[in-house]
Amino acid sequence: MKRQLLGAVAALAIFAGFTVAAEAKTLVYCSEGSPENFNPQINTTGTSFDAAYPVYNRLVEFKPGTTEIMPALADKWDVSDDGLTYTFHLHKGVKFHSVKGFTPTRDFNADDVVATFNRPWKADDPYHNVSGGAYDYFNDMGMADLLKSIDKVDDYTVKFTLNEPNAPFIANLAMDFAAILSKEYMDAMMKAGTPEQVDQVPVGTGPFIFVDYQKDAVIRYKANPDYFRGKQKIDNLVFAITPDATARMAKLQAGECQIAPYPNPADIEKLKADPNLKVEQQEGLNVGYVSMNVTKKPFDDVRVRQAMNMAIDKDAIIKAVFQGAGKPAVNPIPPTIWSYDKDIKPYPYDPAKAKALLAEAGYANGFTTDLWYMPVQRPYNPDAKKIAELIQADLAKLGITAELKSYEWGEYRKRLQAGEHQMGQLGWTGDNGDPDNFMGVLLSCQSAREGGQNLSKWCNKDFSALIDEAKKTSDVAKRTELYEKAQVIFHDDAPWIPIAHSVVYMPMSKKVVGYKVHPLGTHIFEGVDIQE
């Protein structure tokens, strides 16, 4: 088996044209899927964010392994007393990458910051509609309404003015969607008539330079020799795209990749026992759930939604699928995040009560629904099809026929966000450690639009008012009080069936040093080394 796998990877490397000098250090990461593109402004999936992350920087970033903010392309920033003006002082001497067909003629400056944010914000920006013009994070977080102006003060100073105070603003700018692009590259590709190239052949300031991408096979990067925080210890970074979890683990054990995410829970103990491997772990800042589309019958009736919460045996799912690596979810945020309301009681597993509620709603004999399941693994959902089958069996006991359905990952997300489903599995790993990143992005009226990340299309004005109010104050106690009230509304109105929160496991070779499991789910290779 090991020899066959090694041969397969060798063939893959030849097919991709990948050759390295014998002395070069190469880190191979067995990624779980193919990116939709390489521009995090227009992405919503961790798979695509991971593929773009090595290329870009942001004004501010999270310290590896934490949710603590640190300077990045901005050395420092000032905030006005009224909380409406943020002035960023930019790092000088930062170089953009060169790629085939483009060589920069200047360093990073304020023009790049303004152009980056104008693209999703300004409808008349030349790039606004390029690659479909969907900016889900920017829109679902209400950034378009929040921003009043973005002004270039001078080449190395940018001023953001807000329409109202926003407590998570700095943390939001550390998120993937705020990656800084090159205005010069954007202008060059627009002039060449190929603006989409900006999203497919990325140019950033990050620690690694994009080399090429063979769809569904491999992504190659090389270390940026001019990186402003110093050249990386590894010379080449390779994403070996391996959707199957069992295959990823086999490659890891065969030494064909050094890091492999999203193991099957059943494999954890075996991986821990392998003398050549280590398994890092961390309590996940995540939630896995089933969305019920409240715009479609029968889920427009709150009694049906509550009944569904009582019809599903979450403990059985945790035992069968998570195998000790998960806990049943109650709220839309995980217990690892501040403001989690521990006083809310979960819906009990009570098929009899669920059946009575369905009868009261006019569905005594059940109904037929679809049930979409994810085509990829995530810590919050390590086996989506198996979870779907268990839910299907529970619902059948109440006379409900659930027809299982899935699509390729990019298509799956697109269709769910368009609201095509009745019931659909998804989940979320926090982007910035703030409760708003769960409740605002996933459940607000703002994000219930078609294409938004509120998959249930649930718009509760009382809930959204609480979320909006919480963003306007930096008083953590006040924000906690508001988020707790919002969680009660969520629980009672039941737009989701919250399923699980999970532990995140990251198996890797013992030769890997410097890799830190990120609480926000991103896989970061800056500062990582391989030691023989």
Side-chain angles (χ1 to χ4, degrees):
M1 178 66 174
K2 182 172 179 178
R3 184 177 300 167
Q4 289 173 338
L5 282 166
L6 286 168
V9 167
L12 175 63
I14 294 167
F15 171 76
F18 178 62
T19 56
V20 294
E23 67 275 10
K25 281 188 179 181
T26 298
L27 175 71
V28 181
Y29 168 70
C30 274
S31 66
E32 82 290 355
S34 299
E36 297 155 87
N37 54 64
F38 291 86
N39 181 355
Q41 291 179 316
I42 56 177
N43 290 330
T44 58
T45 69
T47 304
S48 294
F49 285 152
D50 282 344
Y53 202 91
V55 176
Y56 294 106
N57 291 109
R58 289 136 293 279
L59 291 173
V60 296
E61 294 176 351
F62 297 109
K63 285 187 177 179
T66 77
T67 56
E68 184 181 342
I69 299 294
M70 69 178 188
L73 291 178
D75 285 329
K76 60 181 181 177
W77 53 93
D78 311 310
V79 186
S80 62
D81 290 341
D82 61 7
L84 295 178
T85 303
Y86 292 73
T87 304
F88 293 90
H89 305 276
L90 307 182
H91 195 85
K92 296 178 181 178
V94 178
K95 310 293 183 186
F96 276 105
H97 304 159
S98 295
V99 294
K100 186 177 180 180
F102 173 74
T103 302
T105 64
R106 63 164 176 81
D107 290 350
F108 155 77
N109 67 28
D111 291 330
D112 304 302
V113 178
V114 175
T116 292
F117 288 96
N118 275 351
R119 174 174 176 176
W121 184 33
K122 301 287 189 181
D124 60 353
D125 185 87
Y127 265 85
H128 186 74
N129 294 316
V130 170
S131 300
Y135 305 98
D136 291 329
Y137 268 92
F138 189 87
N139 291 321
D140 290 350
M141 294 166 66
M143 292 289 284
D145 296 328
L146 177 64
L147 292 170
K148 183 176 183 180
S149 63
I150 303 175
D151 299 301
K152 173 185 174 181
V153 178
D154 58 42
D155 278 352
Y156 291 97
T157 313
V158 181
K159 183 172 70 175
F160 286 69
T161 304
L162 311 184
N163 283 311
E164 61 187 22
N166 185 272
F169 184 67
I170 288 290
N172 288 345
L173 292 187
M175 290 167 54
D176 293 84
F177 83 94
I180 302 300
L181 280 62
S182 162
K183 182 181 188 301
E184 189 179 17
Y185 182 45
M186 294 166 75
D187 290 345
M189 293 303 101
M190 183 63 75
K191 185 177 179 181
T194 57
E196 295 84 0
Q197 191 84 345
V198 169
D199 304 329
Q200 300 299 341
V201 180
V203 168
T205 59
F208 295 95
I209 299 170
F210 175 84
V211 176
D212 72 5
Y213 168 43
Q214 302 288 336
K215 184 170 171 56
D216 299 329
V218 67
I219 313 169
R220 300 186 293 138
Y221 312 83
K222 63 183 179 182
N224 176 6
D226 301 316
Y227 188 46
F228 75 101
R229 289 197 284 239
K231 183 179 180 296
Q232 298 303 293
K233 294 174 182 175
I234 54 175
D235 302 288
N236 301 286
L237 174 63
V238 178
F239 280 33
I241 298 168
T242 313
D244 182 73
T246 302
R248 284 198 301 277
M249 295 312 118
K251 286 183 178 182
L252 179 66
Q253 291 189 296
E256 294 172 23
C257 57
Q258 286 76 48
I259 304 177
Y262 314 126
N264 289 319
D267 294 337
I268 298 295
E269 292 308 314
K270 182 173 68 174
L271 293 168
K272 285 181 177 179
D274 190 317
N276 298 312
L277 303 179
K278 56 185 175 180
V279 181
E280 305 285 354
Q281 70 183 71
Q282 186 174 82
E283 193 79 18
L285 198 73
N286 60 36
V287 60
Y289 62 91
V290 176
S291 157
M292 292 174 284
N293 189 335
V294 303
T295 69
K296 293 186 174 183
K297 288 186 178 298
F299 302 114
D300 56 342
D301 191 318
V302 66
R303 294 168 296 185
V304 173
R305 300 196 299 269
Q306 291 174 342
M308 300 299 274
N309 272 277
M310 288 185 274
I312 294 168
D313 188 349
K314 292 184 196 175
D315 288 334
I317 291 173
I318 300 297
K319 184 177 180 181
V321 178
F322 289 83
Q323 300 187 27
K327 61 182 68 170
V330 178
N331 297 331
I333 62 175
T336 47
I337 204 167
W338 60 272
S339 84
Y340 179 86
D341 190 340
K342 62 182 183 301
D343 294 328
I344 292 177
K345 302 302 180 191
Y347 285 98
Y349 173 53
D350 192 337
K353 192 169 182 181
K355 195 166 182 62
L357 267 178
L358 289 174
E360 187 181 315
Y363 297 97
N365 298 318
F367 53 85
T368 297
T369 179
D370 58 33
L371 174 56
W372 296 32
Y373 64 90
M374 295 164 53
V376 297
Q377 297 90 13
R378 287 290 185 269
Y380 56 71
N381 193 331
D383 191 336
K385 188 175 183 183
K386 187 170 184 178
I387 290 177
E389 289 169 346
L390 291 167
I391 292 173
Q392 182 185 47
D394 282 339
L395 296 182
K397 297 170 188 173
L398 302 181
I400 299 170
T401 300
E403 298 172 351
L404 304 191
K405 196 171 185 178
S406 193
Y407 293 93
E408 176 273 328
W409 186 218
E411 188 72 9
Y412 183 87
R413 287 297 305 257
K414 180 180 176 182
R415 287 174 179 264
L416 277 183
Q417 288 178 223
E420 291 186 18
H421 64 295
Q422 288 173 281
M423 298 178 71
Q425 289 185 40
L426 210 65
W428 193 256
T429 296
D431 294 291
N432 62 12
D434 194 282
D436 180 71
N437 181 246
F438 285 81
M439 289 188 274
V441 176
L442 303 180
L443 290 162
S444 69
C445 289
Q446 173 79 25
S447 63
R449 62 189 172 81
E450 183 175 341
Q453 295 178 88
N454 182 339
L455 304 182
S456 294
K457 308 307 172 191
W458 175 69
C459 175
N460 183 297
K461 289 184 166 49
D462 293 334
F463 178 94
S464 278
L466 290 166
I467 298 304
D468 290 343
E469 188 180 347
K471 284 191 289 192
K472 295 176 186 177
T473 177
S474 56
D475 184 333
V476 173
K478 178 63 175 173
R479 294 186 77 201
T480 295
E481 180 186 337
L482 294 166
Y483 287 132
E484 286 177 345
K485 289 179 180 177
Q487 287 169 74
V488 171
I489 292 173
F490 166 86
H491 178 268
D492 292 347
D493 223 21
W496 290 1
I497 305 164
I499 300 294
H501 310 291
S502 76
V503 175
V504 176
Y505 293 99
M506 186 61 63
M508 65 190 78
S509 166
K510 283 187 176 176
K511 295 178 182 179
V512 174
V513 294
Y515 182 90
K516 296 180 179 177
V517 179
H518 195 41
L520 305 177
T522 309
H523 299 103
I524 301 174
F525 302 99
E526 183 174 349
V528 177
D529 194 9
I530 300 173
Q531 294 182 350
E532 294 300 328

